[in-house]
Amino acid sequence: MSTETTTNAALFARAQKVIPGGVNSPVRAFRAVGGTPRFITRAQGAYLFDAEGRRYIDYIGSWGPMILGHGHPAVLEAVHRAVDEGLSFGAPTEREVELAEEILSLVPSMDQLRLVSSGTEAAMSALRLARGATGRSKIIKFEGCYHGHADALLVKAGSGLATFGHPTSAGVPAEVVQHTLVLEYNNVAQLEEAFALHGASLACVMIEPIAGNMNFVRASVPFMRRLRELCSQHGALLVFDEVMSGFRVALGSAQSLYAKAIPGFEPDVSVFGKVIGGGMPLAAFGGKRAVMEQLAPLGPVYQAGTLSGNPVATACGLATLREIRKPGYFEALASSTRSLLEGLLAAARDSGVPMVGDCEGGMIGFFFADRLPQNYSEVMATDKERFNRFFHAMLDRGVYLAPAMYEAGFVSSAHTAQDIAATCRAAREAFA
Ligand SMILES: Cc1ncc(COP(=O)(O)O)c(C=O)c1O
């Protein structure tokens, strides 16, 4: 039981006895930045409160889902009502249909979708679907993009474009990743070469269109245009992993931004998570009817889930989507995020600290570097030691940033101008 004297350190020591590394997802352990993870007892609006009663302005938002901030009244009400009706039925509900309709109305590239419980599950299922629909095995992914921890996607580049990847985790057999080719993000020449070599056997290319797992790196418009052309020419499906960017960078997700820049642009399959569950375990993958009808029970591609479309999770997701589609929501969110980025960059500039950054909607990234990185190697070449010092200086001042320089940040609509100003003041102090 927690007591008034419980500390984060005491809880972490206790946690490490019963949970590997003391955490249920590795990045929470603060390994990249060092120090003791904060054990959170509650959250409200833009704030997290830890076991020692300290308050933090939260720029992680549960790694993306909490776009409305914590404890939004409309979401809580919907969840409470759903809980009263029943936790899980294992049978269809009207709310699943409503949520599917809501998502599809905002993402015109998809005719149908299927709900699952995590981004990992959605990406893994999308991959199987792409392979099943094309009858091909090989896939391309990009270094620095994370698509969850399915075996075939835990892979790093081989020694050249003719060789496929190597596992990045023990327990993943080399044979499982032998069909996965890993390319450099934003590298058009490499993409063309890979398609020239393997185009006829490629089931899909999976990409984070705005990558949030190497901090914040956008796929350039020329790169995305060429990727779309090559996939279409060679009959490979273009799979957008929008688990992070979905309903976060824009109401229509990252694909709506590329559609503005590239007329007629659409991915073939899209993967969502995080925001569509509003903080509950819920994710989805979807695409055109002909592809989606390959799934069981209609087609030969098997996919299933005991808790898929869970009634409490769908209530939470629906309530969240209904808030973010209100007129002006994204404009206000984007303007908060932009003012945070500008404030941080100004603080750095005034202190002579080299810093660059980018943002879109409610997603933000900054790097201690002179120019914006375009791929994973460039992200990894930015100043990690400075990031780690900055992270701790901000945490000490009550600002909770992602505890690793390769993670994006998230602003919610609960962050007020005062929160943003307080964050920028903390940054000035940290730089000083
Ligand atoms: C782009 C992307 N895809 C997939 C995943 C996996 O999602 P989950 O952690 O819900 O399994 C993540 C998680 O951060 C992600 O950012």
Side-chain angles (χ1 to χ4, degrees):
M1 271 305 295
S2 66
T3 66
E4 278 175 19
T5 54
T6 300
T7 61
N8 292 304
L11 281 171
F12 193 38
R14 194 171 137 206
Q16 288 175 86
K17 292 196 182 124
V18 289
I19 300 172
V23 291
N24 283 311
S25 197
V27 72
R28 297 179 196 170
F30 276 27
R31 285 284 172 107
V33 291
T36 307
R38 302 306 190 256
F39 277 66
I40 304 304
T41 51
R42 69 190 175 89
Q44 184 56 49
Y47 309 121
L48 295 174
F49 298 86
D50 76 2
E52 298 172 17
R54 289 202 60 194
R55 191 193 86 168
Y56 302 88
I57 305 177
D58 177 18
Y59 289 106
I60 302 186
S62 187
W63 300 93
M66 311 312 296
I67 194 164
L68 303 176
H70 300 279
H72 189 283
V75 175
L76 292 190
E77 201 212 317
V79 168
H80 289 152
R81 209 168 339 111
V83 166
D84 287 341
E85 288 164 5
L87 296 181
S88 183
F89 312 127
T93 63
E94 185 177 359
R95 206 176 295 127
E96 292 163 89
V97 184
E98 275 183 275
L99 180 59
E101 288 167 349
E102 187 84 13
I103 295 172
L104 295 174
S105 74
L106 295 168
V107 185
S109 69
M110 304 192 297
D111 297 329
Q112 291 196 322
L113 60 76
R114 181 157 280 171
L115 298 176
V116 294
S117 301
S118 72
T120 293
E121 201 187 343
M124 176 190 81
S125 305
L127 188 58
R128 185 178 308 138
L129 175 64
R131 285 171 159 166
T134 57
R136 301 171 175 183
S137 302
K138 297 203 186 311
I139 59 168
I140 287 177
K141 81 174 280 290
F142 298 94
E143 193 176 25
C145 289
Y146 175 67
H147 305 292
H149 62 92
D151 282 357
L153 297 165
L154 288 183
V155 49
K156 63 176 181 241
S159 54
L161 289 189
T163 53
F164 281 69
H166 301 301
T168 52
S169 165
V172 175
E175 306 84 73
V176 177
V177 297
Q178 70 182 4
H179 299 296
T180 310
L181 186 61
V182 183
L183 302 184
E184 189 174 75
Y185 202 74
N186 276 327
N187 185 333
V188 175
Q190 216 184 57
L191 191 64
E192 288 179 338
E193 207 181 322
F195 266 92
L197 280 170
H198 308 291
S201 45
L202 280 172
C204 70
V205 178
M206 188 175 274
I207 185 168
E208 280 184 80
I210 296 181
N213 288 288
M214 47 175 158
N215 198 322
F216 183 114
V217 182
R218 295 169 191 264
S220 75
V221 169
F223 177 75
M224 192 60 84
R225 183 183 294 118
R226 193 68 188 122
L227 175 57
R228 179 64 274 180
E229 284 167 4
L230 287 166
C231 284
S232 300
Q233 275 165 23
H234 293 266
L237 298 180
L238 176 55
V239 180
F240 258 33
D241 181 348
E242 298 227 46
V243 168
M244 197 180 278
S245 57
F247 306 96
R248 165 55 75 177
V249 297
L251 185 58
S253 304
Q255 52 195 272
S256 69
L257 304 174
Y258 288 97
K260 270 188 209 145
I262 308 167
F265 179 90
E266 279 186 345
D268 298 302
V269 173
S270 299
V271 182
F272 294 97
K274 300 193 190 267
V275 169
I276 64 165
M280 297 288 289
L282 192 144
F285 63 103
K288 294 285 183 240
R289 191 173 305 276
V291 173
M292 293 306 286
E293 285 183 350
Q294 297 298 312
L295 283 177
L298 298 179
V301 179
Y302 190 69
Q303 184 279 330
T306 300
L307 296 176
S308 294
N310 173 270
V312 185
T314 47
C316 187
L318 253 183
T320 301
L321 292 182
R322 285 178 179 158
E323 289 301 314
I324 69 171
R325 74 181 301 164
K326 287 182 175 166
Y329 178 88
F330 261 92
E331 288 77 1
L333 179 65
S335 142
S336 291
T337 311
R338 166 82 30 210
S339 69
L340 174 63
L341 180 61
E342 282 167 3
L344 292 175
L345 293 177
R349 202 167 44 241
D350 294 347
S351 313
V353 172
M355 192 195 217
V356 288
D358 197 0
C359 65
E360 192 69 54
M363 186 167 157
I364 183 169
F366 61 84
F367 303 88
F368 291 105
D370 295 316
R371 57 181 282 271
L372 272 179
Q374 296 302 307
N375 58 46
Y376 182 72
S377 319
E378 291 181 10
V379 170
M380 285 326 207
T382 66
D383 192 339
K384 175 169 177 266
E385 293 313 315
R386 202 190 274 272
F387 173 83
N388 290 354
R389 288 200 305 276
F390 182 65
F391 167 82
H392 280 292
M394 294 298 273
L395 194 64
D396 290 346
R397 287 166 178 78
V399 178
Y400 195 80
L401 302 171
M405 71 162 191
Y406 45 80
E407 302 288 352
F410 301 104
V411 177
S412 78
S413 43
H415 287 83
T416 61
Q418 288 79 4
D419 294 324
I420 306 273
T423 305
C424 297
R425 267 198 309 280
R428 277 181 190 276
E429 285 177 26
F431 290 140

